[in-house]
Amino acid sequence: MKKYNFLAAIAVLVLVSASCKKFLEIEPQERVLVDNYYQNADQAFGALVSVYDQFANQGGGYLTKVGVMNSASDDQLAGGGGPSDINDFQVISNYTLNSNVGPSGYLWNKGFAGVFRSNAFLEKVAPINMDATLKNRYIAEVKTMRAGFYFDLVRFFRAVPLLTTAVDPAKMYDVVQATPADVYTQIEKDLTEAIPNLPNTVPAATEGGRLTKGAAQALLGKVYLWRDKYADAAKLFAEVNGTPGGTSQYGYKLLANFDDLWKTSNKFNSESILELSHSTASNGGWGNVGSTEGNLLNILVGPRGYKPTVATAPDYVSGWSFQVFTKEFFDKIHFDPRNKATVANLDSLEKNGIATYEKGYNNTGYFVEKFAGRVSNKAATGQLELNFGQNMYEIRLADIYLLEAEALLKSGAAVGAGSRAYQLLNAVRARVKLNPVPVTMDNIMLERRLELAAEGHRWLDLVRWKLAPTVLAFKGFVAGKHEVLPIPQGELNNTKIEQLKEWGGTK
């Protein structure tokens, strides 16, 4: 995947084909001009898929949003083979990133390529002669995704351009940044308009991964929580969650067994609200890493140089040892029932003569069990490392249970024994047979840390709770700077976009 600034992408009026993950590179023989596309319902669906494709984008440099956020958190270190291995992970982990170096370019391009595709779709689909209900559903799905792209962009970069229509190529270098409040207003508008036209459920076998009413409501609830609209957030979360521990109106229900969440075959289960799909059938190879439909995280987090020494050893594929857990996190989860399904304890396996492994960079001996690639899950074709099929949860029910409990607490609602907040928090604990605890921020924060470990939530939670400067100080996090990422230098050159004040700019 080539690196480019998003303003250049705006000028390229092309549509990426639905089966491709090659971003917006110009290859005329494989592309259809936007002006000649959007002629019928089939083409509208193909364009819809291209937006979904960007929603689950993985970078050609092995980057994913979850991987970046894990590396930035206090619970995990960059790891890998050395201090410069996949340098974008290293510099976000030790906070030596800048506008030229780090994962900002990937996150910026991912977001704005998604915005570009969304805007192209929304402008071109209106005149197509097709079933009105179906068209409204497609529009709702794209508005939800555009909101999701912008929610990430505004959280990561704060001051970003707000684009809701195509930009005239002659004016592309005159684009300026909007206020965060305006971006959040547009996000809320997109989601509010989308929710009524989304289906309550979708058939997993044929439409698993497509957006539903519950997913959009959960996303809007998260937006409200970030804006301190706690009562509004709690109300939306309640629509999604239903009766704590029961089955919601959309069929969501906590899985009885926490370990089952991480079974590759258990896709689109009852706890999944929004899931990013991966496949073992894409035949991804080294020449098109960013185009593979396989899950790159599976090879990234596996133990390096893994060799079982007894037949009963876990069947991990030898991976690249990125995003290892810290000793401090392991000590927190060690005696929690979720430990075994969360942490691959290679230190213990080696000490007990079960397996050996190579000690990579930042090695602690504690790897990510949730996503470690397995021999039993490897693809039958294509490059093994790039074609694992485990899906990723963008939003799952336990996450929303805990967010609703937090929103209720912060809105001043009742939180004592028997209250809704109490039931929500302790339903998550009861699933793993833990006793109830009072509803306090400390208990909610700890539960999120252990329940959602390595799923990309921790860094954003710490920033939202304003705890990042304290908790991440040992990594080099600087208060008033690292709560946002620097705008990539390529977006600043010859444009009206300004660098953030936190990073030496004026915006």
Side-chain angles (χ1 to χ4, degrees):
M1 181 181 63
K2 297 178 181 178
K3 290 187 176 180
Y4 64 99
N5 74 39
F6 93 94
L7 293 175
I10 293 172
V12 183
L13 297 181
V14 296
L15 175 72
V16 178
S17 65
S19 62
C20 177
K21 273 193 173 180
K22 296 183 182 178
F23 237 46
L24 297 179
E25 300 168 6
I26 305 174
E27 298 177 22
Q29 292 181 345
E30 299 180 12
R31 300 293 185 268
V32 180
L33 293 178
V34 167
D35 289 343
N36 298 326
Y37 203 70
Y38 297 95
Q39 301 299 312
N40 53 52
D42 288 342
Q43 290 182 340
F45 181 74
L48 172 67
V49 173
S50 79
V51 184
Y52 272 103
D53 199 47
Q54 189 61 24
F55 203 60
N57 172 268
Q58 301 179 115
Y62 305 98
L63 299 183
T64 66
K65 183 177 74 172
V66 170
V68 171
M69 293 296 93
N70 286 349
S71 299
S73 81
D74 59 319
D75 289 342
Q76 293 172 262
L77 304 171
S84 61
D85 195 3
I86 308 189
N87 197 50
D88 288 343
F89 287 146
Q90 306 297 336
V91 298
I92 190 68
S93 186
N94 60 28
Y95 290 93
T96 58
L97 70 164
N98 57 51
S99 61
N100 289 299
V101 179
S104 294
Y106 161 72
L107 293 170
W108 182 280
N109 290 343
K110 176 182 185 296
F112 277 109
V115 168
F116 169 79
R117 295 188 191 187
S118 300
N119 290 344
F121 180 95
L122 293 171
E123 286 191 5
K124 297 293 184 178
V125 76
I128 295 178
N129 182 19
M130 59 182 290
D131 178 80
T133 300
L134 187 61
K135 180 191 292 188
N136 287 337
R137 178 188 174 185
Y138 288 3
I139 289 170
E141 289 175 272
V142 171
K143 284 187 174 181
T144 301
M145 284 187 280
R146 183 169 69 178
F149 292 129
Y150 263 122
F151 189 37
D152 280 346
L153 286 166
V154 75
R155 287 185 296 173
F156 292 145
F157 301 104
R158 185 171 53 73
V160 297
L162 179 57
L163 309 173
T164 56
T165 59
V167 176
D168 185 331
K171 299 178 180 179
M172 65 183 180
Y173 294 107
D174 295 326
V175 170
V176 297
Q177 289 137 297
T179 66
D182 286 345
V183 176
Y184 275 114
T185 296
Q186 181 61 47
I187 292 170
E188 292 179 14
K189 180 176 183 290
D190 272 348
L191 290 169
T192 302
E193 291 175 353
I195 287 168
N197 292 317
L198 290 169
N200 287 354
T201 62
V202 296
T206 55
E207 296 187 10
R210 290 185 68 175
L211 284 155
T212 61
K213 195 183 300 291
Q217 288 175 319
L219 180 57
L220 182 54
K222 289 191 175 195
V223 173
Y224 285 154
L225 197 64
W226 269 82
R227 302 196 74 187
D228 299 337
K229 297 181 178 181
Y230 301 121
D232 291 337
K235 183 178 179 180
L236 271 173
F237 290 145
E239 288 287 317
V240 178
N241 291 331
T243 302
T247 302
S248 78
Q249 63 175 322
Y250 303 130
Y252 304 134
K253 183 179 176 62
L254 294 177
L255 292 187
N257 186 353
F258 179 80
D259 296 25
D260 289 346
L261 285 162
W262 319 111
K263 292 180 178 178
T264 301
S265 59
N266 202 13
K267 299 185 178 187
F268 309 116
N269 56 69
S270 66
E271 192 165 335
S272 175
I273 295 175
L274 180 57
E275 193 166 319
L276 305 181
S277 297
H278 292 288
S279 170
T280 60
S282 71
N283 285 316
W286 297 120
N288 61 341
V289 171
S291 300
T292 184
E293 300 291 341
N295 187 336
L296 295 179
L297 204 59
N298 289 167
I299 194 65
L300 283 166
V301 304
R304 182 176 292 263
Y306 177 75
K307 294 180 180 179
T309 55
V310 297
T312 56
D315 67 332
Y316 302 125
V317 168
S318 182
W320 299 345
S321 69
F322 282 94
Q323 295 154 45
V324 291
F325 286 118
T326 64
K327 176 66 162 57
E328 193 268 341
F329 172 77
F330 177 72
D331 290 343
K332 286 286 185 185
I333 201 172
H334 189 187
F335 298 106
D336 186 278
R338 290 162 288 205
N339 174 38
K340 187 175 180 181
T342 301
V343 180
N345 190 340
L346 270 293
D347 182 62
S348 176
L349 291 179
E350 188 165 74
K351 286 178 179 177
N352 287 283
I354 296 172
T356 62
Y357 71 104
E358 179 184 332
K359 312 306 182 289
Y361 185 60
N362 292 144
N363 180 62
T364 61
Y366 309 119
F367 296 81
V368 181
E369 173 71 23
K370 287 180 177 179
F371 306 130
R374 299 273 192 159
V375 173
S376 53
N377 295 330
K378 69 179 183 180
T381 60
Q383 191 68 41
L384 176 147
E385 293 88 345
L386 306 180
N387 290 285
F388 288 98
Q390 184 178 15
N391 284 3
M392 296 294 293
Y393 300 109
E394 182 75 7
I395 306 174
R396 65 179 176 92
L397 192 60
D399 172 24
I400 305 306
Y401 269 30
L402 296 172
L403 290 181
E404 186 185 345
E406 179 183 344
L408 288 167
L409 174 63
K410 290 183 174 178
S411 68
V415 296
S419 68
R420 181 172 176 84
Y422 183 90
Q423 293 175 46
L424 288 160
L425 170 60
N426 288 301
V428 176
R429 292 175 59 81
R431 187 251 296 275
V432 293
K433 296 179 173 54
L434 288 172
N435 292 329
V437 294
V439 179
T440 66
M441 272 309 299
D442 283 345
N443 284 338
I444 290 170
M445 290 189 294
L446 179 59
E447 205 62 34
R448 285 187 64 78
R449 185 180 187 184
L450 301 183
E451 173 73 23
L452 303 169
E455 296 178 55
H457 297 279
R458 177 68 174 171
W459 186 85
L460 290 166
D461 278 346
L462 290 173
V463 171
R464 180 169 60 84
W465 293 328
K466 298 180 173 54
L467 294 176
T470 301
V471 174
L472 291 165
F474 79 100
K475 279 190 158 190
F477 188 103
V478 176
K481 178 178 183 177
H482 291 124
E483 290 87 352
V484 289
L485 304 181
I487 293 174
Q489 188 62 42
E491 308 304 329
L492 307 175
N493 299 333
N494 302 314
T495 75
K496 291 186 177 180
I497 295 177
E498 302 171 49
Q499 185 57 273
L500 306 178
K501 289 184 291 185
E502 292 90 339
W503 290 91
T506 58
K507 198 66 176 177

